[in-house]
């Protein structure tokens, strides 16, 4: 079957067409229209502006995704619609959900509301290298994005237990804030990881919050404050590139150390055989590599999404929608436009 995926929870207007057959999925087309330039001057995403841009772009993205997939007759060639229903920015989500509801109503197609974080988890089903299909549940997920830092035990398709989470800021948010303090622009994650390659993390050591706590939770607001105080102590002089790189490297190490330590602790505690990394911060090369190494040492399978599916996209929403549809065909079929309560 073919599913149209729609994602508008933050600053990307995204759509994808996915082909699903049994446990196998294949992306037919995938379009992401980014608003990064618009929000960069504000240092973060402005919800009302994001919604306005989604409204402006959604029609174009829809035409393009169908064109790339070679779809001429929507009613005949698309079997269901999956849309992000939350969490995310309310005004932005409404644009995608309203569009999806309208399509579902016009073409009488089942509508599947997808949790954005579940979408990130399923981005791993787009990793051709790992046969997740053969992985046994429970699977451990580390979801790291601009809004979330969560350790989730996946007991089956659609069955989850949150076993650890951030008590304040998300790790991606901490990258963004640290980058802002260092004058590196938005989004901060890619900028910090790039400049950190040239830095020495031992030069300005920073604390790894909650690294020794017994639970599986995280906290990132203290790390951001530590960067702020460090910059204050260094005085007002203009930071040279090497100092910025050293601070970025220390920040990255402190942020990742705690993520990795708690993830491996959770893997041992729950005796999982597979670990999946996902969310925008999963684009971080050092995080990908260190988790790979630690998983190999522990003898467990490990997957991270292909780079293009790390940050927000609609292919992951379509995959999550597809597996949800397989499980709940009856309810999905009934959920056509008007009576589809997507939890809004
Ligand atoms: O999943 P995502 O696209 O949007 C949310 O659902 O939040 O994640 C965006 C986050 C941003 O905070 C961005 O700075 C971070 O992912 N990010 C990275 C990297 N690339 C993106 N963080 C660290 N290293 C990266 N290479
Ligand atoms: Zn996301």
């Amino acid at each position: 079957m073919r599913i149209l995926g729609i994602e508008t929870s933050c600053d990307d207007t995204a759509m994808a067409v996915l082909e699903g057959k049994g446990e196998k999925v294949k992306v037919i087309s995938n379009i992401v229209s980014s608003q990064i330039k618009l929000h960069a001057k504000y240092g973060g995403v402005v919800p009302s502006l994001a919604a306005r841009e989604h409204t402006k772009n959604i029609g174009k993205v829809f035409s393009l995704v169908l064109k790339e997939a070679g779809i001429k007759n929507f009613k005949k060639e698309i079997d269901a619609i999956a849309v992000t229903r939350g969490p995310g920015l309310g005004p932005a989500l409404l644009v995608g959900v309203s569009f999806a509801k309208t399509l579902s109503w016009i073409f009488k197609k089942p509508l599947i509301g997808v949790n954005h974080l579940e979408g990130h988890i399923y981005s791993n089903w787009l990793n051709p290298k790992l046969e997740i299909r053969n992985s046994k549940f429970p699977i451990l997920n580390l979801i790291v994005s601009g809004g979330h830092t969560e350790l989730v035990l996946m007991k089956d398709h659609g069955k989850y237990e949150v076993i650890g989470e951030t008590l304040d800021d998300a790790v991606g948010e901490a990258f963004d804030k640290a980058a802002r303090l260092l004058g590196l622009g938005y989004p901060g994650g890619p900028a910090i990881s790039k400049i950190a390659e040239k830095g020495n993390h031992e030069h300005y050591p920073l604390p790894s919050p909650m690294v020794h706590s017994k639970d599986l939770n995280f906290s990132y607001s203290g790390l951001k404050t530590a960067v702020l105080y460090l910059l204050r102590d260094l005085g007002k002089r203009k930071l040279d590139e090497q100092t910025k790189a050293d601070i970025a490297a220390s920040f990255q190490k402190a942020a990742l150390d705690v993520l990795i330590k708690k993830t491996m602790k959770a893997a041992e505690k729950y005796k999982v055989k597979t670990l999946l990394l996902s969310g925008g911060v999963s684009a971080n090369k050092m995080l990908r590599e260190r988790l790979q190494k630690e998983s190999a040492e522990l003898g467990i399978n490990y997957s991270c999404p292909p780079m293009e599916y790390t940050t927000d996209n609609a292919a992951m929403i379509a995959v999550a929608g597809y597996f949800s549809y397989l499980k709940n065909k009856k309810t999905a079929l009934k959920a056509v436009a008007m009576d589809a309560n997507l939890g809004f």
Side-chain angles (χ1 to χ4, degrees), residues 93-111:
L93 284 161
L94 270 175
V95 179
V97 169
S98 305
F99 195 85
K101 277 198 151 203
T102 309
L103 285 180
S104 158
W105 182 67
I106 293 175
F107 295 109
K108 302 286 174 277
K109 297 292 173 188
L111 183 60

Side-chain angles (χ1 to χ4, degrees), residues 3-273:
I3 296 207
L4 172 73
I6 303 177
E7 152 67 38
T8 65
S9 70
C10 193
D11 59 346
D12 293 299
T13 318
M15 288 200 202
V17 174
L18 183 97
E19 173 103 43
K21 201 173 178 195
E23 293 268 304
K24 284 193 179 162
V25 288
K26 191 174 146 205
V27 179
I28 309 294
S29 65
N30 183 44
I31 304 288
V32 180
S33 168
S34 167
Q35 306 174 3
I36 280 181
K37 273 193 198 144
L38 172 77
H39 300 287
K41 52 180 176 276
Y42 302 100
V45 181
V46 184
S48 56
L49 289 186
R52 197 183 70 188
E53 284 299 296
H54 286 315
T55 311
K56 210 154 88 184
N57 294 332
I58 202 159
K60 267 184 260 170
V61 172
F62 180 58
S63 307
L64 212 59
V65 84
L66 295 188
K67 193 172 166 214
E68 283 211 355
I71 288 172
K72 296 203 171 65
N73 186 327
F74 190 95
K75 193 163 175 60
K76 269 197 187 147
E77 295 173 78
I78 295 287
D79 303 293
I81 300 156
V83 62
T84 306
R85 61 172 161 77
L89 306 172
L93 284 161
L94 270 175
V95 179
V97 169
S98 305
F99 195 85
K101 277 198 151 203
T102 309
L103 285 180
S104 158
W105 182 67
I106 293 175
F107 295 109
K108 302 286 174 277
K109 297 292 173 188
L111 183 60
I112 308 147
V114 173
N115 177 295
H116 182 79
L117 295 182
E118 197 175 0
H120 276 303
I121 288 177
Y122 277 94
S123 62
N124 274 293
W125 267 254
L126 299 170
N127 180 354
K129 289 200 196 113
L130 187 89
E131 290 291 307
I132 305 174
R133 292 187 286 281
N134 299 332
S135 292
K136 295 221 165 30
F137 292 107
I139 291 174
L140 178 64
N141 287 276
L142 173 64
I143 313 170
V144 278
S145 71
H148 294 85
T149 307
E150 290 193 3
L151 278 167
V152 175
L153 203 59
M154 185 179 186
K155 297 173 176 172
D156 196 350
H157 287 292
K159 277 185 97 178
Y160 308 98
E161 185 191 343
V162 178
I163 55 171
E165 62 193 333
T166 180
L167 303 178
D168 41 57
D169 292 354
V171 61
E173 194 179 349
F175 268 88
D176 293 335
K177 285 179 177 168
R180 204 166 160 181
L181 290 170
L182 289 169
L184 296 175
Y186 173 85
I192 292 227
S193 52
K194 185 156 180 261
I195 190 172
E197 282 174 19
K198 292 183 220 126
N200 173 2
H201 66 79
E202 284 170 354
H203 218 123
Y204 301 105
L206 288 164
S208 238
M210 289 181 73
V211 76
H212 299 300
S213 74
K214 287 209 174 75
D215 56 24
L216 296 170
N217 291 329
F218 308 95
S219 163
Y220 280 102
S221 68
L223 179 56
K224 173 198 68 191
T225 314
V227 174
L228 185 72
Y229 287 166
L230 172 61
L231 291 174
R232 190 193 59 188
D233 294 346
L234 287 173
K236 280 200 177 135
R237 69 185 163 85
K238 197 170 178 295
L239 294 180
D240 60 55
E241 284 307 300
Q242 190 54 49
T243 309
K244 277 190 192 178
D246 291 345
I247 297 173
S250 293
F251 168 85
Q252 179 167 260
K253 183 174 186 307
L256 300 190
D257 277 357
V258 60
L259 274 183
I260 292 158
K261 182 155 185 230
K262 298 240 167 151
T263 303
M264 300 329 287
K265 191 170 157 183
E268 283 186 282
K269 182 173 173 191
Y270 290 91
K271 298 187 176 52
V272 298
K273 293 273 174 281

